[in-house]
Amino acid sequence: MMQLRCVWYLSAVRNRPVQLQLNATRRCSTVQGEVRVRFAPSPTGFLHLGGLRTALYNYIFAKKYGGSFILRLEDTDQSRLVPGAAESIEDMLEWAGVPPDEGPRRGGSVGPYLQSQRLDLYSRTAQQLVESDHAYCCFCSSQRLDLLKKEALRTGQTPRYDNRCRHLRAGQVQEKLAQGVPHVIRFRLDAGVEAFQDLIFGRNHHEVAQVEGDPVVMKADGFPTYHLANIVDDHYMRISHVLRGSEWLISTSKHLLMYRALGWQPPTFGHLPLLMNKDGTKLSKRQGDIFIQSFQRDGVLPEALLDITTNCGSGFNTNRIGRRIDELVSEFNPSKITTHSALLDLEKLPEFNRIHLKRRIEDEEQCLLLIRDLQGQIQQACTAQIQHEQVLHEDYIRRVLHLRKGHISSLKQLVSPAYAYLWVRPSVSSQQVAALTTEGQHIASLVLKLIAERGEELAVDRLSKDLKTLAKQIKDTKYREVMKLLRLALSGLQQGPSVAEMMVSLGPAEISHRFQKLALLSETSQT
């Protein structure tokens, strides 16, 4: 057995103090034991739909079986880190309603939860692999590796390392180390990988040694690669189940070889089918609209996002629209997860959002939060033109929300031009009135009389009947033109909600103000 000390890491890394709270005892990797799952994104970018879906399934699995959901940030690729991405990932998980039980922000008993703060642990584990002859120092230059790659591509082969340094004698290795030759540590891929039972894909077996060269587990800068860091962290964080994307399925046999080399019990693996566009193409980070921050900015509700990402996939006893997180947990059944890719149709997202917005409006506590949100949006969009501070009152906005629930798919719609009449008095010209009728003044007086009779108690159904009766009292203007005139006076628009609903939304005082204006306008045009 090779007894070598590979001094492969930078002294700054080697001397960095790390406080690790470790417990090497593993629990049984079954659903009956302690369930601990993790979501381990890299902060080389912001959280997108594919990542949220992986986090969601881990969260649901943990909550279904009374376990813990851990967030671990795999920040070892220092050159590609995006400023603010780590904080944003945590923000977006909390916004989405899938907060981790343990993580960088919340802490926990097996931290740190940033891989860059666990480097001593990886170095000790890599050294253990070297000393047990399961890994070795590789001194191949980047130029040689590039030549190997180019030659493989030229001959139509898959590029792979040729394991040259695996065969160096102990004396050769010590000589190169003494000379300070830059090097990495590679893991020996041996034949004889045992098959494993994936929770979703069933029995799997990949003889990785036949198709791959020995993988790098420790880079020359002292940082680990994914292959080493993820198994070390999963072991010491006592992860019972690894639920990750199916793109990692073929790497699992490689990871199992590392578990065996270290004498560790591996977790149970489950590889989730990929989330794809509705046409079967791969979701790409280049699609700017798949980032969670984009959905948040566009007024998408988190529960609608969770609903659509699970509705297009599998893993539930039933498949229906409108589930919230507690219902997703109660209906979750991992045996129902299929191997088929989940096809996501984002054109359906407004419908999901409409359903969940309606449920929020109907919940008194949630509705109050919507009111606060909408008040801010109104002030931002219509500050200079707001007709009266009354439109910012809680009762007024609540009435609008309840009348429009089921019709709107986001709050942002209510500050669009189509609904400006709710907050800003419309501008109506005498020419617009004259184009519809010569009886504008008479019609306005009838409406004012009706509203005075009805008082504060206005209801859509009753008003609809009243308006039909009112129209019959007008000689020379047809019902359709009467309704067009009423809509014009109320909103300045030619379409929108029913005239009766507009009137109930605005309330008696504002209706009266707008029809007094119509009466004056008609009177002026006739003189």
Side-chain angles (χ1 to χ4, degrees):
M1 186 175 292
M2 187 181 294
Q3 298 294 327
L4 295 174
R5 298 294 299 179
C6 278
V7 188
W8 45 267
Y9 45 81
L10 301 174
S11 60
V13 172
R14 179 176 55 194
N15 296 327
R16 185 179 299 177
V18 175
Q19 297 298 318
L20 291 166
Q21 300 170 336
L22 304 177
N23 182 349
T25 304
R26 291 191 59 83
R27 298 291 185 91
C28 178
S29 293
T30 64
V31 175
Q32 284 71 39
E34 179 191 19
V35 169
R36 290 176 62 82
V37 296
R38 48 71 164 181
F39 174 52
S42 173
T44 53
F46 295 91
L47 187 64
H48 57 86
L49 267 181
L52 177 63
R53 176 173 172 267
T54 300
L56 174 60
Y57 272 85
N58 275 279
Y59 178 90
I60 291 172
F61 190 93
K63 300 311 166 188
K64 181 75 174 183
Y65 299 107
S68 299
F69 171 53
I70 293 97
L71 173 66
R72 183 174 75 226
L73 294 178
E74 301 193 341
D75 62 341
T76 55
D77 192 347
Q78 295 285 296
S79 64
R80 295 177 56 224
L81 294 182
V82 173
E87 295 79 8
S88 176
I89 288 170
E90 296 201 68
D91 290 342
M92 290 301 97
L93 288 177
E94 300 216 0
W95 172 80
V98 288
D101 300 301
E102 302 171 28
R105 188 174 290 171
R106 293 199 172 205
S109 62
V110 294
Y113 296 88
L114 285 168
Q115 286 188 337
S116 60
Q117 297 174 6
R118 300 169 66 86
L119 298 184
D120 277 0
L121 182 59
Y122 309 131
S123 69
R124 294 201 302 269
T125 305
Q127 191 61 45
Q128 180 183 339
L129 289 170
V130 171
E131 291 175 352
S132 63
D133 207 22
H134 287 103
Y136 59 91
C137 297
C138 172
F139 302 91
C140 291
S141 66
S142 58
Q143 291 85 353
R144 181 177 186 273
L145 297 176
D146 286 340
L147 286 174
L148 282 176
K149 181 178 180 180
K150 288 177 182 176
E151 180 62 18
L153 293 173
R154 187 185 68 80
T155 57
Q157 297 178 330
T158 302
R160 56 184 290 188
Y161 178 57
D162 61 0
N163 298 348
R164 176 184 181 181
C165 289
R166 176 195 274 225
H167 308 292
L168 291 176
R169 295 188 300 274
Q172 291 175 299
V173 172
Q174 289 196 358
E175 182 180 351
K176 289 181 180 293
L177 288 174
Q179 293 171 353
V181 179
H183 58 282
V184 299
I185 291 184
R186 291 183 182 270
F187 178 75
R188 292 176 182 268
L189 289 181
D190 295 322
V193 178
E194 295 179 5
F196 69 95
Q197 191 71 20
D198 190 85
L199 284 175
I200 297 159
F201 283 81
R203 183 179 171 83
N204 261 266
H205 178 258
H206 301 282
E207 278 292 354
V208 285
Q210 295 179 5
V211 294
E212 294 185 35
D214 292 338
V216 174
V217 293
M218 215 71 189
K219 295 177 287 187
D221 62 1
F223 280 80
T225 62
Y226 171 82
H227 299 299
L228 178 67
N230 96 91
I231 70 157
V232 170
D233 289 339
D234 286 346
H235 173 73
Y236 284 111
M237 290 182 174
R238 307 194 309 276
I239 300 302
S240 64
H241 296 76
V242 171
L243 304 179
R244 59 188 178 187
S246 58
E247 68 268 26
W248 293 107
L249 183 62
I250 200 166
S251 295
T252 304
S253 291
K254 186 188 309 180
H255 300 157
L256 288 171
L257 284 173
M258 293 186 193
Y259 276 107
R260 188 170 71 184
L262 290 163
W264 294 345
Q265 172 69 33
T268 299
F269 290 93
H271 288 85
L272 300 166
L274 294 178
L275 185 65
M276 313 281 278
N277 291 312
K278 67 176 181 178
D279 60 1
T281 57
K282 189 176 179 180
L283 277 180
S284 170
K285 294 179 184 178
R286 293 183 181 87
Q287 296 169 239
D289 58 353
I290 71 164
F291 288 98
I292 306 307
Q293 283 180 314
S294 297
F295 292 106
Q296 181 193 39
R297 184 178 60 247
D298 291 341
V300 175
L301 297 175
E303 56 266 40
L305 211 51
L306 301 186
D307 194 9
I308 195 171
T309 53
T310 50
N311 182 266
C312 71
S314 54
F316 300 88
N317 292 321
T318 60
N319 197 27
R320 59 186 179 85
I321 295 177
R323 287 182 294 210
R324 290 186 288 202
I325 190 66
D326 57 332
E327 295 165 310
L328 290 172
V329 171
S330 65
E331 294 181 24
F332 180 62
N333 183 348
S335 68
K336 298 283 187 180
I337 302 177
T338 69
T339 59
H340 304 300
S341 295
L343 302 182
L344 178 68
D345 185 358
L346 285 176
E347 291 180 4
K348 295 180 179 178
L349 185 55
E351 174 61 13
F352 281 81
N353 215 51
R354 182 189 67 79
I355 291 167
H356 286 282
L357 181 57
K358 181 174 182 288
R359 291 180 72 168
R360 279 202 179 195
I361 292 170
E362 290 169 347
D363 180 285
E364 188 174 338
E365 189 175 326
Q366 291 290 326
C367 186
L368 189 58
L369 295 175
L370 293 175
I371 291 169
R372 299 285 179 263
D373 187 353
L374 191 51
Q375 284 171 330
Q377 291 192 44
I378 295 164
Q379 287 176 308
Q380 189 173 4
C382 315
T383 303
Q385 303 101 341
I386 286 178
Q387 64 198 29
H388 193 279
E389 63 179 22
Q390 172 68 29
V391 301
L392 294 174
H393 286 187
E394 185 180 308
D395 289 343
Y396 179 78
I397 295 177
R398 180 182 285 105
R399 185 166 73 236
V400 169
L401 287 173
H402 278 279
L403 286 167
R404 282 284 84 195
K405 68 182 179 185
H407 297 284
I408 56 170
S409 58
S410 76
L411 283 189
K412 292 183 77 171
Q413 284 180 257
L414 290 176
V415 291
S416 69
Y419 290 101
Y421 70 90
L422 291 166
W423 330 112
V424 178
R425 287 169 179 154
S427 177
V428 180
S429 69
S430 56
Q431 290 83 358
Q432 287 176 294
V433 175
L436 293 172
T437 181
T438 57
E439 299 179 283
Q441 187 177 10
H442 177 48
I443 295 171
S445 65
L446 290 175
V447 172
L448 289 167
K449 180 182 177 185
L450 171 64
I451 295 305
E453 291 172 353
R454 289 283 168 260
E456 294 296 321
E457 297 300 321
L458 298 180
V460 174
D461 290 344
R462 177 68 184 272
L463 263 181
S464 294
K465 293 176 183 177
D466 289 340
L467 292 175
K468 287 179 182 178
T469 303
L470 180 148
K472 292 176 183 177
Q473 301 175 43
I474 302 161
K475 288 184 181 181
D476 301 324
T477 308
K478 294 180 180 179
Y479 175 77
R480 180 181 296 181
E481 273 62 44
V482 172
M483 290 298 109
K484 284 183 178 180
L485 179 66
L486 299 187
R487 184 181 297 281
L488 179 68
L490 291 166
S491 68
L493 303 172
Q494 295 181 349
Q495 54 189 349
S498 71
V499 171
E501 185 188 318
M502 284 183 170
M503 294 174 79
V504 175
S505 295
L506 293 167
E510 187 61 27
I511 296 170
S512 297
H513 184 282
R514 295 188 187 193
F515 278 93
Q516 286 167 1
K517 182 180 176 182
L518 174 63
L520 289 172
L521 195 65
S522 300
E523 181 181 355
T524 303
S525 65
Q526 291 172 9
T527 57

